[in-house]
Amino acid sequence: MASIILVTGGTGYIGGELIDRLLSVGKVVHTTIRCTAKSEPRLRSRWPDAGERLKVFQADLENDDGWAEANSGCDAVAHVASPFPLAVPRDENDLIVPAREGALRAVRFAKDAGVDRFVLTSSAAAIAYGHPLSKTKFDKDDWTRVESGDVAAYAKSKTIAEKAVREWVAAKAPDMTFCSINPVAVFGSIANDDLSTSIEMVQKLLDGSIPLAPNMGIGVVDIRDVVTAHVAALEAPDAVVRNGRFPLQQRFLWLREMSQILRDRVPEIAGKAPTKRMPDFLVKLLAPFMSEMNVLKSELGKIRDVDGSHAAKVLGFEYILAEQTLEDTARNLVEHGVIKP
């Protein structure tokens, strides 16, 4: 396996957990963050003993500054950084352009630095959107149909960025070992109270913010499996991963099923988790006034069941059961004081 690895987006959920795993097995890690003055102290406090084995560089997806320095001396890159909106952007290009250009910038500087392995953290959002309602099963060969009128900006951004990097590598870096990791919603342990969007969903199920469960579902995968897949992609033989695409999902669950799992597995903290379904008409009624309901409205009744078996087989791991993942997420939220028992 590579000895010096660049993990972009070190303050993000996946990026942080990947850095944690790599440092734990003795690797030297470079990471990029948007502002060192603001975020480097936070990273140093998380890994106080890392010393020179963790090098932090200021580099933004939208300009070239810092990327050459971040890649210097690296054997491999895990490009995890990607813009994720807190709200739907007014102009979808505000999300699409930095995602595409940032990914191309990352791979271009990696090639210039002589990096021979590039692992792109893409998403199941690049797989399972824009298809007919009758299609409910998806795998590594499926692509989100960005030309469809109902594909949100985030799914477009992930699809366009992944395709752009694949095309760039094929044309300009054919000797580079490239693959993508495409997880569904990621749950599991957390390092602090800076929560990802998926973890916030569990929080809201537990704290009563969602009194009724909307009729929507989501794929579940554990952060530990996401990290394991990334590490395997970084160290597997070239022939195993070259040009590979590895969707990650343990199980597709409806929100009401997630709520019931939490009630069954952590009853002492899940007393407020919803037991009844929210009528579709109520979601649509609230959509103009609540941004969250506006997002949920487009997902009502849709099944996006992504097959994660290819990744598990090729990269050599077994998925942690979704039930265990949700339980561990809930208990971690209590440990960090986000949920009061």
Side-chain angles (χ1 to χ4, degrees):
M1 180 180 175
S3 57
I4 304 177
I5 301 159
L6 169 60
V7 178
T8 69
T11 56
Y13 184 32
I14 296 175
E17 294 299 316
L18 179 55
I19 290 171
D20 192 68
R21 179 79 63 85
L22 292 171
L23 289 175
S24 74
V25 295
K27 302 303 175 183
V28 174
V29 178
H30 292 191
T31 191
T32 61
I33 55 179
R34 293 180 66 181
C35 178
T36 51
K38 179 180 178 181
S39 299
E40 184 169 2
R42 175 176 152 203
L43 296 181
R44 293 294 175 189
S45 66
R46 181 172 179 181
W47 299 289
D49 300 324
E52 287 299 306
R53 289 197 304 115
L54 176 64
K55 297 185 178 181
V56 183
F57 299 85
Q58 184 166 303
D60 189 274
L61 293 173
E62 299 186 67
N63 66 72
D64 290 348
D65 297 344
W67 285 99
E69 294 81 359
N71 278 278
S72 180
C74 291
D75 307 298
V77 171
H79 180 52
V80 186
S82 182
F84 192 100
L86 296 175
V88 178
R90 291 185 177 182
D91 183 346
E92 63 181 16
N93 285 314
D94 291 342
L95 190 57
I96 293 170
V97 172
R100 180 187 65 227
E101 297 307 311
L104 288 172
R105 178 169 284 108
V107 73
R108 174 164 53 88
F109 274 98
K111 179 181 181 295
D112 289 348
V115 173
D116 59 13
R117 182 164 298 208
F118 191 93
V119 177
L120 173 69
T121 308
S122 184
S123 170
I127 292 174
Y129 290 77
H131 298 276
L133 287 175
S134 58
K135 183 172 175 59
T136 60
K137 303 285 187 180
F138 302 89
D139 61 29
K140 63 182 179 62
D141 296 319
D142 288 306
W143 283 91
T144 286
R145 299 168 63 216
V146 296
E147 69 277 10
S148 175
D150 63 348
V151 177
Y154 177 70
K156 284 185 180 181
S157 75
K158 300 303 288 189
T159 308
I160 291 169
E162 184 183 341
K163 284 188 173 183
V165 174
R166 286 184 176 277
E167 291 168 1
W168 191 93
V169 170
K172 299 186 178 181
D175 294 332
M176 178 181 280
T177 301
F178 167 80
C179 69
S180 68
I181 306 292
N182 297 66
V184 294
V186 183
F187 300 87
S189 59
I190 57 175
N192 50 53
D193 60 2
D194 184 11
L195 306 182
S196 68
T197 302
S198 54
I199 300 294
E200 282 186 346
M201 182 182 298
V202 176
Q203 175 196 357
K204 290 177 179 179
L205 287 172
L206 292 170
D207 68 13
S209 297
I210 306 178
L212 299 171
N215 184 35
M216 69 162 286
I218 194 167
V220 175
V221 68
D222 196 292
I223 183 63
R224 290 164 288 189
D225 291 334
V226 175
V227 170
T228 295
H230 277 79
V231 172
L234 288 165
E235 68 180 359
D238 175 89
V240 173
V241 298
R242 180 180 286 270
N243 298 323
R245 198 167 188 237
F246 300 107
L248 302 179
Q249 178 187 279
Q250 198 281 315
R251 184 179 170 190
F252 176 88
L253 290 168
W254 296 101
L255 282 190
R256 58 186 179 272
E257 292 178 311
M258 293 174 64
S259 181
Q260 189 59 54
I261 288 169
L262 291 168
R263 282 182 165 272
D264 292 341
R265 304 280 292 221
V266 285
E268 69 278 14
I269 57 175
K272 295 180 181 178
T275 58
K276 297 181 180 180
R277 199 179 104 180
M278 180 179 291
D280 290 355
F281 80 85
L282 185 56
V283 176
K284 296 174 183 178
L285 184 66
L286 294 172
F289 311 103
M290 299 175 64
S291 59
E292 293 172 351
M293 291 301 170
N294 193 41
V295 173
L296 293 180
K297 181 179 68 172
S298 64
E299 291 299 301
L300 292 174
K302 293 182 179 178
I303 299 173
R304 306 188 198 276
D305 192 0
V306 178
D307 184 357
S309 62
H310 171 72
K313 179 179 179 181
V314 174
L315 299 179
F317 68 95
E318 292 185 7
Y319 285 105
I320 296 166
L321 294 179
E323 291 85 350
Q324 187 63 55
T325 296
L326 292 173
E327 177 183 340
D328 292 347
T329 304
R331 295 195 185 283
N332 244 239
L333 287 169
V334 172
E335 290 174 13
H336 286 278
V338 178
I339 294 294
K340 304 300 180 184

